Amino acid sequence: DGMNVLFVIVDDLRPVLGCYGDQLVKSPNIDQLASQSMVFTNAYAQQAVCAPSRVSFLTGRRPDTTRLYDFYSYWRVHAGNYSTMPQYFKENGYVTLSVGKVFHPGVSSNYSDDYPYSWSIPPFHPSAEKHENDKTCKGKDGKLYANLVCPVNVTEMPGGTLPDIQSTEEAIRLLNVMKTNRQKFFLAVGYHKPHIPLRYPQEFLKLYPLENITLAPDPWVPKKLPSVAYNPWMDIRQRDDVAALNVSFPYGALPDDFQRQIRQSYYAAVSYLDVQVGLLLNALDNAGLSNNTIVVFTADHGWSLGEHGEWAKYSNFDVATRVPLMFYVPGMTTSPVSQGGRVFPYLDPFSHIGGSAPQGQSRKVVELVSLFPTLAELAGLQVPPTCPKTSFGVVLCTEGTSMVHYFNVSEGKVEEGKKGCDNTARCFNEEPVAFSQYPRPADTPQWNSDKPKLKDIRIMGYSVRTIDSRYTLWVQFDPNNFSANFEDVHAGELYMMENDPNQDYNIYNNTSHSWFLKKILG
């Protein structure tokens, strides 16, 4: 009775996947999952940095409610004692398990990944994780460096392994324990790659000959990009290989050949991730659990690969906020599997040719904050109520909206949009929208622009993504009382997707945008 949940959360993965139309990447296992899933092509994170995004979707509250915009506070102490998605499943009789990077480790999850509130047993962290930033990358001179681009020989690594390999092994072990014990489970598996450093088994480079790798379509800083919107990618500048290039701060461009190497390694890391996901899903099949386990696959945010002359996350652009999102629900997105039938045979990216189309696809704009109510509904649990306008004192509620009504609805039906907009202000013209935000310490790029601490935040960029536009206002923000002043606008951005899909031509200054304002002020 009741479905299990396998929740796969990937660090810094933008939708460079075959099932999202990427022509270069080799991602056969994730594509195979998509072919049995409902795939959302317009899904967005609420803030493009790890801890704030994860705390937001795990609690179902927006960053202005968790009050976490950096890495340095625990929401239960600092904002409100909000129940999390795994906690809710645990309270409803599930064994809840965390493997790898699910919560962001450290203060923001109480140094315990929110155990024991969220998890039935202490979370598992791969032992190899502590070597992520060590000097393990061989340079041309044979010496070891802490590089950004870091293909490695796994047998030479400490312990002869890598974190994501260990996480897959542990997740498979737990699946088999749950199978044996016949326990209903919520298993979250958090993969590290393609988060930097781009450290992955070197054989994956073979999939991406450098001559096939292009630069970003728009590798320049747009003329009308407000300086407050630019993220100066400090974390990358600090890696040994990038530091050696002596690129000028903040707008100096990386050399073209190095840009192509970063892009090549990002793709290689995605294929390495795809293998881990393939092994995990194949184990779900082997344990006979594919017919009663919901599988969710998503990421905490995207990652810029040279677009707008930017790298990493830390911005409000689609490349930083847009994420892959798919739901496999046996009997709903696919017909039930016969006993012993294979849903997820392992596919080798080195030999597998050809992609598979998603089972169902929705272009509706959705948000990660809606994961909690969506998963509750899919699992047959009571959907947490919608939060009141101010909800610091409310333990269980969500600021998201369940996406389940988008499943099994053919595109183009009028009712679809209307349904998504019941009882929620997060819509425009009956169409859902997505909100993201990003804090800055100043109007111009600083050393701490990417990750300002709460006390240093002076400006908040609030961004609205509709199906055909992105509108961002950078407004005065007071970190002492968490207040944004929309009367004091420092800069604005408006991009129309139809003729500017890469968000390069800011038309904020030559447009009337009163309806967007109404939307943001809600």
Side-chain angles (χ1 to χ4, degrees):
D1 59 342
M3 292 261 191
N4 304 308
V5 178
L6 175 58
F7 179 71
V8 180
I9 172 74
V10 185
D11 218 351
D12 294 22
L13 176 68
R14 62 191 256 173
V16 294
L17 298 166
C19 51
Y20 277 79
D22 190 287
Q23 301 297 307
L24 181 66
V25 77
K26 303 219 170 358
S27 54
N29 294 288
I30 297 166
D31 297 347
Q32 175 173 255
L33 172 63
S35 75
Q36 306 292 319
S37 296
M38 183 67 185
V39 175
F40 288 88
T41 58
N42 263 315
Y44 297 89
Q46 275 48 78
Q47 191 181 323
V49 67
C50 306
S53 173
R54 288 163 187 263
V55 167
S56 170
F57 69 69
L58 287 163
T59 60
R61 318 278 185 122
R62 299 178 188 279
D64 281 350
T65 307
T66 66
R67 294 187 157 171
L68 181 69
Y69 312 109
D70 59 16
F71 295 80
Y72 306 107
S73 69
Y74 180 41
W75 77 92
R76 292 185 193 273
V77 170
H78 182 77
N81 187 23
Y82 313 143
S83 291
T84 67
M85 172 164 60
Q87 178 181 357
Y88 189 61
F89 275 83
K90 182 165 157 263
E91 288 165 357
N92 278 280
Y94 282 72
V95 176
T96 56
L97 306 159
S98 174
V99 170
K101 184 175 173 183
V102 180
F103 278 99
H104 191 87
V107 187
S108 64
S109 57
N110 204 31
Y111 299 100
S112 65
D113 298 298
D114 198 44
Y115 175 80
Y117 300 101
S118 286
W119 311 109
S120 303
I121 60 172
F124 170 86
H125 286 281
S127 60
E129 199 179 320
K130 60 177 171 293
H131 303 295
E132 270 296 273
N133 292 307
D134 293 359
K135 298 189 173 192
T136 55
C137 324
K138 266 213 178 87
K140 293 213 165 67
D141 56 8
K143 291 201 181 92
L144 293 177
Y145 294 92
N147 286 343
L148 168 63
V149 173
C150 187
V152 297
N153 177 340
V154 177
T155 61
E156 293 172 4
M157 291 300 103
T161 189
L162 291 171
D164 289 342
I165 296 172
Q166 291 183 299
S167 292
T168 302
E169 291 164 354
E170 176 64 8
I172 291 172
R173 189 187 74 78
L174 288 169
L175 282 176
N176 291 315
V177 170
M178 290 298 110
K179 155 87 178 162
T180 309
N181 297 350
R182 300 203 167 149
Q183 286 174 298
K184 198 163 55 165
F185 64 85
F186 177 105
L187 169 59
V189 183
Y191 284 115
H192 284 78
K193 294 303 107 175
H195 191 289
I196 69 166
L198 299 170
R199 191 169 80 111
Y200 56 86
Q202 59 199 15
E203 57 270 25
F204 287 94
L205 272 178
K206 292 198 202 74
L207 293 171
Y208 303 101
L210 208 46
E211 59 270 21
N212 296 354
I213 308 287
T214 59
L215 295 180
D218 52 348
W220 57 84
V221 179
K223 280 193 186 59
K224 292 189 174 170
L225 180 70
S227 56
V228 69
Y230 182 81
N231 75 280
W233 35 281
M234 284 302 291
D235 55 351
I236 286 187
R237 294 174 196 270
Q238 287 154 3
R239 314 298 309 180
D240 291 346
D241 48 355
V242 180
L245 298 167
N246 274 327
V247 179
S248 69
F249 180 92
Y251 297 117
L254 290 170
D256 287 7
D257 62 325
F258 193 74
Q259 292 199 33
R260 288 169 56 221
Q261 281 179 41
I262 299 176
R263 290 170 65 91
Q264 174 192 39
S265 272
Y266 188 90
Y267 274 81
V270 171
S271 291
Y272 159 60
L273 163 77
D274 183 76
V275 165
Q276 303 310 313
V277 172
L279 294 169
L280 178 63
L281 293 173
N282 187 49
L284 191 74
D285 257 1
N286 291 343
L289 292 166
S290 304
N291 56 358
N292 65 345
T293 303
I294 295 163
V295 181
V296 195
F297 177 88
T298 191
D300 56 355
H301 45 71
W303 209 78
S304 184
L305 287 164
E307 294 86 0
H308 316 113
E310 295 180 301
W311 300 88
K313 46 242 184 186
Y314 318 122
S315 84
N316 280 319
F317 282 120
D318 278 18
V319 284
T321 54
R322 185 170 169 241
V323 293
L325 176 62
M326 60 191 81
F327 298 87
Y328 161 79
V329 189
M332 186 177 190
T333 62
T334 56
S335 343
V337 195
S338 56
Q339 242 2 79
R342 311 291 298 172
V343 190
F344 304 119
Y346 173 75
L347 303 173
D348 181 351
F350 292 92
S351 55
H352 183 77
I353 297 156
S356 34
Q359 168 66 23
Q361 221 169 4
S362 175
R363 287 182 60 238
K364 290 291 174 193
V365 173
V366 295
E367 308 175 284
L368 289 185
V369 74
S370 297
L371 275 171
F372 188 168
T374 304
L375 271 178
E377 184 171 345
L378 287 173
L381 305 180
Q382 201 168 353
V383 179
T386 301
C387 292
K389 199 155 179 62
T390 309
S391 65
F392 297 108
V394 184
V395 171
L396 179 69
C397 69
T398 174
E399 292 182 85
T401 326
S402 171
M403 305 172 214
V404 175
H405 57 271
Y406 294 147
F407 289 55
N408 297 341
V409 178
S410 60
E411 280 296 321
K413 282 200 185 164
V414 186
E415 306 85 60
E416 200 185 342
K418 292 237 183 346
K419 255 183 161 168
C421 293
D422 292 351
N423 326 324
T424 162
R426 305 288 177 180
C427 293
F428 171 70
N429 276 359
E430 298 300 326
E431 282 297 322
V433 301
F435 282 79
S436 301
Q437 62 193 94
Y438 213 87
R440 294 281 186 240
D443 286 298
T444 54
Q446 310 294 317
W447 67 272
N448 63 338
S449 287
D450 295 340
K451 298 193 269 196
K453 290 188 169 171
L454 176 63
K455 65 175 173 42
D456 297 324
I457 297 172
R458 294 294 173 270
I459 302 162
M460 188 69 75
Y462 288 94
S463 196
V464 185
R465 180 64 157 81
T466 71
I467 191 75
D468 48 18
S469 64
R470 179 172 286 287
Y471 176 74
T472 306
L473 283 182
W474 297 89
V475 302
Q476 189 267 333
F477 184 85
D478 182 347
N480 299 307
N481 59 5
F482 300 92
S483 65
N485 178 6
F486 283 86
E487 306 290 292
D488 183 359
V489 177
H490 289 232
E493 299 169 81
L494 175 59
Y495 307 99
M496 301 310 291
M497 302 308 296
E498 193 178 4
N499 43 16
D500 182 18
N502 298 323
Q503 304 174 343
D504 294 319
Y505 303 100
N506 178 12
I507 59 167
Y508 176 83
N509 285 339
N510 37 0
T511 323
S512 137
H513 19 73
S514 57
W515 63 265
F516 281 109
L517 256 175
K518 285 198 193 85
K519 186 75 257 116
I520 280 191
L521 298 171

